[in-house]
Amino acid sequence: MDLKNHTVNFRICDIFYPDCQQVLFSMHGNDVLRGRVIDLSATGEPDVSFAEIEVADIEQRVIVPIDRILGICE
């Protein structure tokens, strides 16, 4: 079958080029996630602290600079 000019479906993880992470960032880099802060840490530098956050549907906890947190949910 000639696929040219046909719409197809595929998984993001199967993208060969560009890197699938780059594609996700381009598509969803500005999406806002919600999660629960598990722990806080500081780097030793003034005003540089991080939050360890647990997000539903993401296997690993994420680390976010505290000054990049957009707000607190009720």
Side-chain angles (χ1 to χ4, degrees):
M1 174 180 192
D2 183 10
L3 296 176
K4 191 172 182 176
N5 295 317
H6 285 79
T7 302
V8 298
N9 297 314
F10 58 92
R11 297 181 303 171
I12 292 172
C13 66
D14 291 331
I15 294 172
F16 178 74
Y17 180 87
D19 183 62
C20 62
Q21 291 176 353
Q22 181 181 347
V23 172
L24 281 174
F25 186 76
S26 296
M27 292 173 63
H28 300 288
N30 291 319
D31 288 2
V32 176
L33 299 176
R34 178 181 291 180
R36 183 172 63 95
V37 175
I38 301 300
D39 200 5
L40 300 171
S41 65
T43 63
E45 295 181 33
D47 301 323
V48 180
S49 298
F50 295 90
E52 180 181 352
I53 304 173
E54 184 177 69
V55 179
D57 299 326
I58 297 180
E59 230 175 88
Q60 292 182 294
R61 294 177 179 165
V62 298
I63 306 296
V64 178
I66 289 176
D67 65 351
R68 302 300 293 178
I69 292 176
L70 299 174
I72 298 172
C73 303
E74 296 298 321

